[in-house]
Amino acid sequence: MSIIYLNDKKFTPYLTSLQLDVEIKRLGSELSKDYEGKRPLFIAILNGSFMFASDLFKELTIECEICFIKLASYKGTKSTGQVITSIGLDATLTNRHVIILEDIVDTGKTLNEFLPQLLNQQPASLKIAALLHKPEALAYPVKIDYLGFNVPNKFLLGYGLDYDGYGRNLKEIFTIVEE
Ligand code: IMP
Ligand code: MG
């Protein structure tokens, strides 16, 4: 791994694929233990979480389902953005054990707006699994139940995370170099 450039920005390696693999295997065995016999439903939030969801799902040794939802947060010029759903949920959550899969929880805005919609359907339980979390950026009361890594409040790239749509295909996670 080495320095990479994307558009006008410079990025340096931060988490190797081995580090990601070790944490995802740990999360997979923890979830497999906690949800044994519960036939949980995982909901992965697109786009960012597709790689994490795919790798984590392969580590699950229990009977379980996965579905996908696409959420987009419009930040615009004001800090009060809104989260819109551009691919909807096609599963019924009533009485199901549900786990949300997120690539990264930053301010928590996305989950804070999305969770009440899910709770409306009265799932048996609702938990959050996130690969990454920026504790310093958290501005909404979101509790992460299964976490890979706490990370500094800096822009990250790779392993599903993008910069203007690019960089999702990188196998490692990079962090921005401010110059
Ligand atoms: P939140 O609503 O502020 O918690 O942010 C949620 C979404 O913003 C995440 O699911 C990511 O898609 C995106 N995001 C947050 N931080 C980063 C980052 O450092 N790099 C790339 N995308 C990010
Ligand atoms: Mg995301």
Side-chain angles (χ1 to χ4, degrees), residues 63-128:
E63 280 185 50
C64 53
E65 288 185 84
I66 190 166
C67 66
F68 300 86
I69 187 166
K70 186 167 180 180
L71 300 179
S73 48
Y74 281 81
K75 303 229 160 99
T77 49
K78 292 181 196 149
S79 59
T80 56
Q82 63 172 141
V83 178
I84 64 136
T85 308
S86 59
I87 298 178
L89 189 62
D90 57 5
T92 307
L93 309 188
T94 313
N95 295 326
R96 297 292 308 267
H97 292 281
V98 176
I99 302 126
I100 308 294
L101 298 180
E102 253 293 36
D103 49 354
I104 182 163
V105 178
D106 184 11
T107 64
K109 182 176 179 58
T110 306
L111 288 180
N112 191 59
E113 294 202 8
F114 181 50
L115 293 185
Q117 296 176 40
L118 301 185
L119 287 169
N120 268 343
Q121 287 198 38
Q122 301 187 304
S125 67
L126 181 62
K127 304 268 180 181
I128 298 167

Side-chain angles (χ1 to χ4, degrees), residues 6 10-11 16 21 26 33-34 48 62 69 74 89 91 102 161 165-167:
L6 196 52
K10 183 178 176 182
F11 297 88
T16 64
D21 192 48
R26 181 188 63 77
K33 187 160 66 68
D34 293 355
I62 52 171
I69 187 166
Y74 281 81
L89 189 62
E102 253 293 36
L161 297 166
Y166 290 88

